Structures are given as structure tokens and as C-alpha cells.
Amino acid sequence: MGTLEASGRIGAPPVSARDRLIRLFAVGEVGVIGALVVVVLFFYALEPAFLSERNIRAILTVVSFVGIIAIGQTILLVNGEFDLSVGSVAGLCAVSSAKLMTVFALPVPVAVLGGVLIGAGIGLMNGLVVVRLKIPAFIQTLGMLFIGQGLIQVVTNGYPVYPLPPSVSAVGFARPIFGLGWSFVFFIVAAIAADLMLRRTVLGRNMYATGGNPEVAKLVGIDTDRYKIGAFMLIGALAATAGMFVMADLSSGTTSIGSGWELAVIAGVVVGGVSLFGGAGTMAGGLVGILLLQVVQSGLVVIGVNANWQQIAVGIIMVLAVGLDILRRRFFIAGGAREDAAPADPSPLRSE
Amino acid sequence: MAAETDAPFVVEALSIVKRFGGATALAGVDFRVRRGEIHALLGQNGAGKSTLVKILNGVHRAGSFEGRILLDGRPVSFGSTAQARLGGVGYVPQEIEVLEQLSVAENVFAGQTGLGGRLVRQRVLERQASVLFRELGLDIAPSTLVAALTPAQRHIVMIARALAAKPAVLMLDEPTASLSGAEVDRLFILLRRLKAQGTTMIFITHRLPEVMALCDRATVLRDGRVAAELKRGEFDAGTVIAAMSGQRLSRLYPAHTPPAQSPVLLEIDGLSVAGRGHEQRALEGIDLTLRAGEILGIAGLLGSGRSELLGAIYGSVPYSGRIRVEGRAVTIRRPKDARDAAIALLTEDRKRSGLLFNLPVAKNITIGNLMLFSSGGVLNPGAERAAALRTMRDLRVKAPSPNAAVAHLSGGNQQKLLLGRVLMRQPKILLLDEPTKGVDVGTRSEIYRLIVDLAETGVGLIVVSSELEEVIGLADRCLVMADGRFVDAFERGAGSEERVLRSIAAAQAERAA
Ligand SMILES: Nc1ncnc2c1ncn2[C@@H]1O[C@H](COP(=O)(O)OP(=O)(O)OP(=O)(O)O)[C@@H](O)[C@H]1O
Ligand SMILES: [Mg+2]
């Protein structure tokens, strides 16, 4: 019955150089991080100003806004769903809280809380419709994207909400670390918390199970509906937070806040190896993906490439990244066996 | 019935070596099949049986392994399963692979062209499918959606799909693992007829009686090498098992006497489950009692309601009726309620409702049991890994490493992994749906040992199996199910396979009258 060989193989797998290489590539983030380094060096070689303090700061500021939402999107994707409405939710929550603190003259913290609650409420609605009515997330959240855009106009009549209370602008102008704003601090703290949650808690592991196969997850006692609805609410609240940080940065509740973010967020995390099919991907990967796309866009600006080409570049990178990821899994993890489309999830491999 | 022993070889696989990463699944196998024979491919879990047939029909593409393949003496190299199918090779994979949102007929003819030109005519498909189904004894309308079928019915659909292409060589990877006696009989009648028509077959199974009943020759694999080649008349259990494992088997079913007056663990009163599709009721007013330390067997044909009963107790199938656990009335609406009442279920279809393909082996074992390795919701990775390794050792799960992808384990090892997951929380009531599906003879007796050991520690077990012999051999008390009702019951030693079949036939006749 092979007890010996069984336990022998389990106990101490010999680690050859080849195995080590395979393991390295099995870590999902290696590809994106490698690409990031190459791209940074490339732009730096062409234009040393690319790595100027100012430019780095500019990149990180944008990353902090989009990244806050990407945290939620990564978690939602791990749970097997995704949200296209984040851009308009961010905008809607920003202008709503702006209205609360100006027209309704509510204290700033209360107005901010109001904005977060609106975001979470929209997330709740998305979640309930997707989970209970079984309407695909694509449809529901695309619908919500339009609804949100409409509501922004309804709330503002098309005019920016301005001026905001001085404390809001104060937050926007503050530079607590390395000349970066509070949005960056929030982003880093939230990212670390979310990463630990995904990798080190029961909650996080159950999310991978939920996204991997909801039927199995239910059978082992996981309330998959709650996980999904919770993830929708979280991304709604995070979108609201990001929207309000931009508002503080601009000192104005502008109607264009968040427009176009939904695609930037999805493209970024997918470049970072978070699977659109659920159950696979890591926080680090998703956020490095966001950074990579931002670096490319900024780099193209710095070396003076026409804006249209930036979009084209983003599109190409996304397709390439996903394509390479599929190849990598096929050759390094499945050992060249083609029928094993079921990918080994990089994150669980990593923690060992 | 034996094929002529000097018939020419149709299939020759020579010096086949197949590696997955660092692990060698086949280490130089020579495998030859003669024209018109039914050739058994035997071996323990992970011996390389599935890998070998996958190589023969293009799942593992030419170039991904070493060695040569000859069909009718001519070298072939298949780049895909489609090419293999055109080359006259039919294949029924071990795991169920169906298109759930298509009808049964569409599934059967999926991937085939030339049926009424470009416009695949639904009617034509359905008519052809119903002919095939009649032969296979499958009683479902060809227009039924596959999503509505039980795992066993899905398996029959896959067999029909392979047959639809009229292959010259048909390879069946554990086709009987999820079928019950009557279905197996019908399948065998069909296979014998195919053989009479000149079809050559490769037949993988873990059930030795099937080999004796059906096969002309057998090749036994052990650890990726050929351990023996046997002819009809040479394959008695002793020889085969010795070849497979290099050791002899003791008694297959360990002795067990249930405690005389142990407390009642589970009481079920008037449990009913609504049927799917046309049938009104999948289960009708079921009463059942399970005592601590008792092994209760449920015998019945495919579709008799066995799996629904387990599903209802576990909360994955909505039911009406009363359930009491240790004297307390419980309402089980979801699996979580059942788990909180210390009930555990091993499901029948490991691909669809068992494994998480996005998580590696160790994490597949611990999922659902994480409360054991965490405090305040934070995991303790060391404790988790240790527990997973302990389970792998205890149940002898053969895996390249705890971090390997579950897709790379052989079928039987996947089954052991799932059993380990279910046992980790030490349930009081354990529901086992086909616990030895796809498990080799050696492991099988280990699992029986495990079941009996659990019973000795006071766990109550309900075992559902398509193999009557297994239910009868294991159970202290055996209930016979037909059309959603219990039609017979007997204590250990008082029943036989014949009695079960007779009660089922009698119940069906009564119903028909
Ligand atoms: N795609 C794969 N990647 C890595 N290893 C694999 C892969 N497929 C099979 N193996 C390994 O190859 C060996 C042989 O597996 P195979 O599936 O052929 O066994 P089997 O004889 O069919 O067993 P069972 O009776 O359990 O179905 C096993 O050790 C298995 O873990
Ligand atoms: Mg197999």
C-alpha cells in the first residue's frame, strides 16, 4: 500500500534547483514585479526625470486613490464576483457627502460617514440582487454604473459642490509622510490589513473557497451568500472613501470624480494575477498590477508619448499579462499537462 | 467468449514514460491490447492507469511523454482528443465531464459533425440518443437538461457520448464506480455486444469480480510499471492483489458488533423531499433511527432517493419532516446547521461538490475545519499544516507534496483527501455517499477498517453505496430503498444481494400494478 513512499514523499521533499525555480515562478507576483522593474528601468533610461521625487509622488498619489478601490475589487474577485460600478459610486458618494456638509450643514465627520454609508448601501443592493435574484454581477453592476452617473447629475444639477468646509481642504492639503497625503496612509494601512485578512484568517480562506466553488463552500458550512454580500458592501464603502479623498484633494465635490475608474481598477488587479473566475489571486499581486499600469501611463507621459497611445498600451499590457499568467501556470505548475486547466492558486503556494 | 489469444495487437504503447514536474507517473510501460478483447487495466490508486489511457487518447498530447504508440501497427501521435476520436479511439474519462446547460442529447453528440449538415437537428439528435439510452437502460428523456441528472446518470451520458462515435477501441476509466448493480449489468450486456461486433475495449476498475466476469486479459500496473500481465483464468483475487500491492489481503470487511443498548443519535420522522422534474416525490415519509456505534447501510438503485436522503439530513436538500439529534429536535436548513449538530457528509461527486481546485492539497483538507487551527479568526499556519500532514499520513493520501494541486492527485487519493476533511472535526453522525468510489482494493479495506473503528468509538454511520456487497458486508442493519421509500430491512447476516434485488423488484412491480 506504499505507506513508506507516501510518508517519505510528504515528509521531506528534496528541493532541487529546478524545484526552486518552479516554486519561484509559482508565486503569482513574481511576474508582475519583474515586469514592474523592467518598465521602471526602461523609462528611467529614456528619461531620468521619470524617477524624480515629484513624479514618484504623483504616481503614488493616483495609485492611492485607485488602489483603495482595488483592495475591495481584489477581495470581491476572490469571492467570485466583481463590481463595475465603483467609479460612479465613488463620484456619487463624494458629491453626496459634499452636499451633506454644505447644503445640510452637517458636521464634516457625519457627512463623511454619510458618504461611506451610501457606498456600503449601494454595495448591499448590488450584493442582494446578485446573490438572491441571481442576476449576473456584470449586468447588475453595469446597471449601477449608469444609475450612479445619473444620480450624480441629479444630486448636483451638474455643478461642482463648492466651497467645502476648510477642514476638508486641510485634510486634502496635509502631507503626513514623504510628501504624500492621508489617502496614501489610508491605502497602505488598508492594504496591509486586507492582505493579512486574505492570507492569515479564516475569513480570508473561506473567501477563496467561496470563489473557487460555491457549492463545495456551502457544503463545508460556509455561508457564501453572506461573504459575497459583505464583499460587495466593502467595495462600496471603499469606493466612497476613495471618492471623498479625491474630493478633499480637489477641495471641491466635482462631478467627474471617479469617472473611468472601474476599468482602471479591474485592468490593474487582473494584470496582477487576480483571476476573473474567482478564488485565485493575492492582495500584493492586485496592487502591484495597479502600480504597474500607473507607471506605464505616467512613463509614457514623461517621455512625451501621445495620450491615445497610453490607452492602447494599457490594453496591450492587460492582454499580455493575463496571457503570460495562463502560460506560466500551464508550464510551471501543471508540469506541461494541458488538461489541467484548473490552476493551482498562487497564494496558497506562497505561504509555505 | 475469450478472444483468440493470437489475435493481432490493435493498441501498442511501447516504453511509455510520463513525468509531471519532478514526479514520474509512468516509468517505461509496455502495454499491448489484442483485437477484439476486453482488456482490464488494474492497479492501486496512483499506479498510473488513468495517465496511460490519457496518453492513448490524446489528453496528454504527443510530445508530452516519451515512447511510441501504435494503432493497428501504425505509429500515431495524437495532438488532441479530437484527433484520437477521428482515429477511432473512444474514451470515457474517470471524472464526470458534461456540459450542464445542454440537453442530454446534445451532450451525447457534442463535438460530432456531419449530423444533418450544419444545422444540427434537435429531433434527429434526440431520436439517436434515445436509441442509445434504451440500450444503456437509461430512463431519461433526451431533452432533459444534464444539470438535472444525478452523478450516476451523468456517467451514463458520458458512456453514451463515447459510444456515439462508434469507436474501434473504447477506453473506459472506472465506468462502474458510480453505477449500481443493475446498471452495471446492463452496461456489461452492452459491452459484450460491442465485443461481439468487434470493438476492442480497455476497462479500468477496482472491482475484481467485474474483471472476472468481463475481461479476457489484464495488465496490472504498480507505481508506473507493469507488475503483471494475466490471462483469463489467472485472475483470481489473490494473484491480482499480490501483483498490485506486493502483499496479501486479510479479511475485507472487519468484524463489528454494534453495542446492544446504545443511545439513539439520530431519529427521523416522516421525512419527504420534493422530486425534480416529473416525479412527484424523491422521498416519501421516511422514518429512520440511528444509534451510537451503529453502521446503517442503505441499498438501492440509482435514483431511488439514497443521495436525497443524505442531502436532506445534511441540509443541502430542502425537506419536510422531523429530525432529532440526540433527542433534541433540530431544524436543518443549511449544511452549517448540520455541521453544528456534529453531522458530516462525504459527497458522491468529488469534482462538483467535493474538491476545491483553486486550493492545494493541504488547504483542501482543512477547509471547513479552520476553527480548529485558529483563535479569534486568525489562522495558525503551523498547526494547520501539521494537522493536514497528519491526515495525509493517517489516510495514506499519496501526493507529491501538501502544496500540490488537487487536480494532480489520482481519483482514489482525492477520495481519501475528502474523507480526511470530513473526519477532521470528529463528527458524531457520519453520512457516507459512495465512500469507496474509485478506491483500490487495498485502500478500500483501510477505509472499511476506518469506518468500523469510528463506529467502535461511538460514531453513528449511514453508508450509501451502489455496491450491494459493500453495503451488506459493512452494515449492522441494512435498509433497502426503492422509489423514495424503504421496502425492506434486515440485520447483519440476515440478508443477501439476492434478497435486496428481490425486494426492489417486488416494490417496483407493486407500484406498477
Ligand atoms: N496532471 C498531473 N500532474 C501531476 N501529477 C499527476 C497528474 N496526473 C496524474 N499525476 C500523478 O501521477 C500518478 C498516477 O496517476 P493516475 O491518475 O494515472 O492514477 P490511477 O492509477 O488512475 O489512480 P486511481 O485508481 O486513483 O484513479 C499519481 O501519483 C498522480 O498524483
Ligand atoms: Mg484513475
Side-chain angles (χ1 to χ4, degrees), chain A residues 9 334 337 339-340, chain B residues 20 23-25 43-52 54 60 94 173-174 206 398 400 407-413 438:
Chain A
R9 278 168 100 178
E339 78 282 16
D340 292 299
Chain B
F20 293 105
T24 307
Q44 294 189 339
N45 295 134
K49 306 178 295 292
S50 298
T51 306
L52 183 56
K54 283 181 188 170
H60 295 306
Q94 182 170 8
D173 195 347
E174 300 196 27
H206 287 295
K398 188 178 162 197
H408 297 174
L409 296 199
S410 75
N413 282 300

Side-chain angles (χ1 to χ4, degrees), chain A residues 281-292:
Chain A
T282 62
M283 193 51 70
L287 297 182
V288 172
I290 293 276
L291 181 59
L292 175 63

